[in-house]
Amino acid sequence: MRMDHVSYACESDGLAATTERIADALGVKAVRGGVHPRFGTRNMIIPLTNHHYLEVVEVLDHPASDKAPFGQAVRARSSAGGGWMGWCVEVDDLLPFEERLGRSAVPGNRKFPDGQELIWQQIGIKGLIADPQVPYLLKWEGDPSLHPSLARPSEVKLSKLTIAGSAERVTEWLGECVDKPLEDVAVEWIAPHGTPGIMSVTFETANGQVTV
């Protein structure tokens, strides 16, 4: 169990402009991601150190986005103005979570221009929609060299999450201490005033500390 990435739902001016603002703040260039056909979304990627990455995601006008919880979550967050949607934990085995949640993981995929395909299984988006402080979970499959964090060399480090919520609640959700997947990322837990969830993410960059 380890932290994998953070997801940012694009703002009203769309995927490219939202991504450019974040990338400029971090002093880097983003990498084009692609379409998630099963979810009705598309993304752009900012690779980070320590096998982490930042995903900026946009919902598409596609029937899949109405049916898939991930598409629903992106649409809801973007409709509210955009911003941090959630965080994701990578696990080696999704079966314990399938058993606890009483449903099966769903497949995800994204194709590269050269025909290679990034594939994974994920679960927990419905939990994130109900309680945005909790992470969703995935298991990567296929070629590990295609992990989004490896799309481009990076010196930007994800150093801290500020989450409105409680460590106890997220520990309960994960079934293990929340400190385990966050061993190399600091977390500041604050009392939620309204909807819980990620309030900000802090990065260490070549130009110093940046909080988004």
Side-chain angles (χ1 to χ4, degrees), residues 47-108:
L48 306 169
T49 62
N50 297 339
H51 213 62
H52 296 153
Y53 68 96
L54 189 167
E55 163 192 57
V56 183
V57 63
E58 178 179 55
V59 71
L60 302 174
D61 184 14
H62 189 279
S65 65
D66 296 326
K67 298 177 182 178
F70 188 81
Q72 295 169 9
V74 177
R75 175 176 281 111
R77 190 69 183 91
S78 288
S79 296
W84 293 112
M85 186 182 83
W87 55 296
C88 181
V89 170
E90 179 188 3
V91 297
D92 294 328
D93 184 7
L94 286 171
L95 181 59
F97 299 97
E98 291 178 316
E99 292 175 342
R100 285 175 52 215
L101 298 177
R103 55 182 178 268
S104 298
V106 298

Side-chain angles (χ1 to χ4, degrees), residues 118-174:
L118 187 67
I119 55 176
W120 67 92
Q121 298 278 334
Q122 71 181 47
I123 195 170
I125 295 295
K126 290 182 179 179
L128 179 150
I129 291 172
D131 187 1
Q133 67 181 296
V134 302
Y136 63 105
L137 304 113
L138 65 68
K139 180 180 185 296
W140 291 107
E141 299 178 340
D143 186 350
S145 71
L146 297 180
H147 189 271
S149 68
L150 304 176
R152 177 178 291 165
S154 178
E155 295 182 355
V156 177
K157 180 180 186 293
L158 194 167
S159 60
K160 179 183 174 183
L161 301 176
T162 299
I163 300 176
S166 74
E168 292 77 15
R169 168 69 182 112
V170 179
T171 292
E172 177 188 22
W173 168 255
L174 291 172

